[in-house]
């Protein structure tokens, strides 16, 4: 939630699992939110794959990745090293 405080500075509240953080610096808040979102996406991909009883390579192959890179690409998504774009997430959700 964003709101303007009397001196005109932007005051941002971010609700995180460990409590409420308040930042006067909008850029720091955005970076924190992106980091948290990447972590959540990575965890959800791993949870989805495990619940589907697929290996990283099997999921990668179902996504249409080359056999040589299938496992590595899913590994990077699950570790948060790379974040899939929205069309990749849509494709993954359809599996």
């Amino acid at each position: 939630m964003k709101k303007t405080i009397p001196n005109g500075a932007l005051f941002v509240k971010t609700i995180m699992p460990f409590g409420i953080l308040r930042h006067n610096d909008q850029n720091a808040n955005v970076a924190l939110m992106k980091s948290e979102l990447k972590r959540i996406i990575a965890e959800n991909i791993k949870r989805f794959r495990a619940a589907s009883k697929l290996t990283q390579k099997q999921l990668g192959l179902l996504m249409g990745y080359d056999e040589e890179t299938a496992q590595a690409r899913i590994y990077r998504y699950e570790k948060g090293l790379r974040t899939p774009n929205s069309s990749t997430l849509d494709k993954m959700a359809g599996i």
Side-chain angles (χ1 to χ4, degrees):
M1 177 172 65
K2 298 178 183 180
K3 69 178 183 179
T4 305
I5 55 176
N7 66 3
L10 190 60
F11 188 78
V12 180
K13 281 185 179 179
T14 306
I15 300 174
M16 296 294 195
F18 45 84
I20 297 176
L21 298 177
R22 292 187 173 98
H23 299 280
N24 287 330
D25 182 354
Q26 183 180 15
N27 293 332
N29 186 55
V30 169
L32 186 61
M33 288 181 354
K34 283 182 180 180
S35 173
E36 183 67 8
L37 182 59
K38 285 181 179 187
R39 184 189 65 74
I40 291 168
I41 290 171
E43 287 177 2
N44 285 343
I45 291 171
K46 186 172 186 174
R47 192 174 305 126
F48 157 78
R49 181 185 59 77
S52 300
K53 298 189 186 321
L54 296 171
T55 65
Q56 290 174 336
K57 186 171 187 174
Q58 288 169 332
L59 177 57
L61 291 172
L62 289 172
M63 293 288 298
Y65 300 143
D66 294 332
E67 189 166 346
E68 297 80 28
T69 62
Q71 185 272 333
R73 290 182 78 164
I74 301 303
Y75 171 84
R76 288 184 186 110
Y77 291 153
E78 289 182 0
K79 292 297 181 184
L81 301 174
R82 293 191 52 94
T83 303
N85 61 31
S86 61
S87 63
T88 301
L89 288 172
D90 285 343
K91 188 174 185 178
M92 199 176 288
I95 293 177

